Amino acid sequence: MSAMSAGRSALRMGPAELVQAAAMARRFYLEGKSKIQIAEEFGVSRFKVARVLETALERDLVRIEIRVPAELDAERSDALRARYGLRHAVVVESPAEEQDDAPDPENLGEVAADLLGELVNEGDVLGLAWGRSTIHMAAALDRLPPCTVVQLTGVYDAGTAERGSVEAVRRAAQVSGGEAHPIYAPMLLPDPATAAALRHQTGIARAFEYFDKVTVAAVSIGSWEPGISTVHDMLSDEERAHYASLGVAAEMSAHLFDTEGRRVGRDLGERCITVEADRLRRIPEVVAIAGGQRKAAAIGAVLRSGLVTSLVTDTAAADYLLTESAAPQRPALERADPDGA
């Protein structure tokens, strides 16, 4: 008898064996019984049960299917999580016809809303930063346990507060039934003195007091180019050129980063109403929501900054992040500062 024939013979199961294997598989896979419990019931060793279950898989008596919604890419998600040391990575399918100048796909916000529903626990403090993706996320929220919601940045334009991050904070608080602490102020001010004065105003100061209590935060990422970073669009041509000369590759909550994840142009933060980077780094769970080819390199830069722990993105950005030559030096979960500060 050849080795191949012997192998097939060893795997052949008679009627009694098939019936027993089916019964054991039902107990294990459908009824949730342990191998020890099954062994006791059938009067065999747990090793015998393990061999029977393994043979049942090999003989196609049992089929195991792993199914996730079609829009989620489980393989890319797991690969991205492992490569960057993230706590959670969720990759969704990019739109069939993605435009080069398109903002984050709206379905990122919908998936991020579901993720927050998993991550936020009763009594948590949820922080929301300005960004199109976080606004879409808040609009898609349909469940949150009771929690306090605080705004982490000023708004892009005070005149759009009701349609932007202020409304996002209110929406999240409404869904959770918790308190809302919005910030009615622009993100970018003309000078540090004006920004400092605003930070001491009662409502804004009250929101800032919650920054150290935030347990879960949602943030957006922008690349340093028109239409992809709100901060970039708020600056003058001269200011944009200045920060570009410093090697800015990405922006998140008015913090600027080079390709290695190091913070540059820190003077900009002195003019902004935003959560400080050091406070952001201390938040246990920071979920970044960003996707698209034009943001891919920026997302990689922010992941290397150590400021975020989780990411919701799309396949277009994920493919870049999984193949870029500059591998991350520090996993995001280490929360290490590339500047060593």
Side-chain angles (χ1 to χ4, degrees):
M1 180 183 293
S2 69
M4 184 176 295
S5 298
R8 279 199 293 263
S9 178
L11 288 176
R12 186 174 295 122
M13 302 174 73
E17 290 177 307
L18 283 169
V19 170
Q20 184 185 67
M24 287 184 176
R26 178 175 294 278
R27 304 290 194 281
F28 186 73
Y29 291 107
L30 298 183
E31 298 176 13
K33 291 186 177 181
S34 70
K35 294 175 183 176
I36 293 177
Q37 290 174 315
I38 298 170
E40 291 175 351
E41 179 181 348
F42 286 86
V44 298
S45 72
R46 67 178 185 274
F47 304 106
K48 167 70 172 178
V49 173
R51 286 196 298 272
V52 169
L53 292 175
E54 182 178 350
T55 302
L57 286 172
E58 292 173 349
R59 300 299 292 167
D60 210 23
L61 184 64
V62 174
R63 296 182 181 181
I64 298 176
E65 294 185 7
I66 300 174
R67 294 183 177 180
V68 296
E71 68 172 354
L72 298 182
D73 191 310
E75 185 175 351
R76 284 185 175 93
S77 297
D78 188 57
L80 197 60
R81 178 200 57 77
R83 179 174 172 82
Y84 286 89
L86 295 164
R87 184 172 289 119
H88 303 284
V90 182
V91 178
V92 305
E93 289 292 338
S94 299
E97 296 181 0
E98 181 183 2
Q99 299 178 359
D100 291 340
D101 59 349
D104 296 318
E106 289 191 20
N107 61 343
L108 293 187
E110 296 170 1
V111 173
D114 288 339
L115 179 60
L116 278 194
E118 293 183 64
L119 299 180
V120 176
N121 296 307
E122 183 173 352
D124 276 348
V125 177
L126 171 62
L128 299 182
W130 159 264
R132 298 182 186 94
S133 56
T134 53
I135 292 171
H136 289 152
M137 178 204 68
L141 283 171
D142 59 11
R143 64 184 176 97
L144 273 180
C147 64
T148 299
V149 186
V150 60
Q151 193 168 325
L152 296 179
T153 65
V155 299
Y156 172 58
D157 181 349
T160 64
E162 295 303 314
R163 303 189 302 276
S165 46
V166 169
E167 178 55 31
V169 169
R170 285 178 172 173
R171 166 65 181 167
Q174 180 184 30
V175 172
S176 73
E179 296 181 1
H181 294 277
I183 294 177
Y184 294 96
M187 180 187 293
L188 180 67
L189 282 304
D191 52 69
T194 304
L198 276 178
R199 292 189 198 104
H200 287 91
Q201 287 191 356
T202 303
I204 297 174
R206 186 177 298 115
F208 268 64
E209 289 173 359
Y210 276 91
F211 285 0
D212 286 329
K213 303 174 185 177
V214 174
T215 50
V216 180
V219 300
S220 295
I221 296 173
S223 57
W224 199 244
E225 54 182 310
I228 310 296
S229 165
T230 52
V231 173
H232 175 282
D233 294 345
M234 285 190 284
L235 297 172
S236 67
D237 291 340
E238 182 179 355
E239 290 170 324
R240 292 169 189 160
H242 165 66
Y243 290 117
S245 71
L246 301 179
V248 175
E251 174 266 319
M252 180 179 70
S253 301
H255 300 297
L256 309 181
F257 307 88
D258 67 11
T259 56
E260 299 302 318
R262 296 183 294 256
R263 289 180 59 210
V264 296
R266 298 191 183 207
D267 60 303
L268 180 64
E270 298 174 3
R271 297 169 49 195
C272 293
I273 303 296
T274 186
V275 60
E276 299 94 326
D278 290 341
R279 279 178 161 174
L280 199 59
R281 198 182 303 279
R282 292 195 295 268
I283 296 174
E285 183 74 79
V286 179
V287 181
I289 312 163
Q293 293 181 359
R294 290 182 66 182
K295 283 191 177 183
I299 295 169
V302 172
L303 292 182
R304 281 185 281 273
S305 75
L307 289 177
V308 304
T309 60
S310 298
L311 174 68
V312 178
T313 190
D314 66 348
T315 51
D319 285 344
Y320 173 88
L321 293 169
L322 290 170
T323 57
E324 65 170 342
S325 58
Q329 296 180 353
R330 298 180 177 89
L333 286 181
E334 293 181 6
R335 313 305 293 280
D337 186 345
D339 296 324

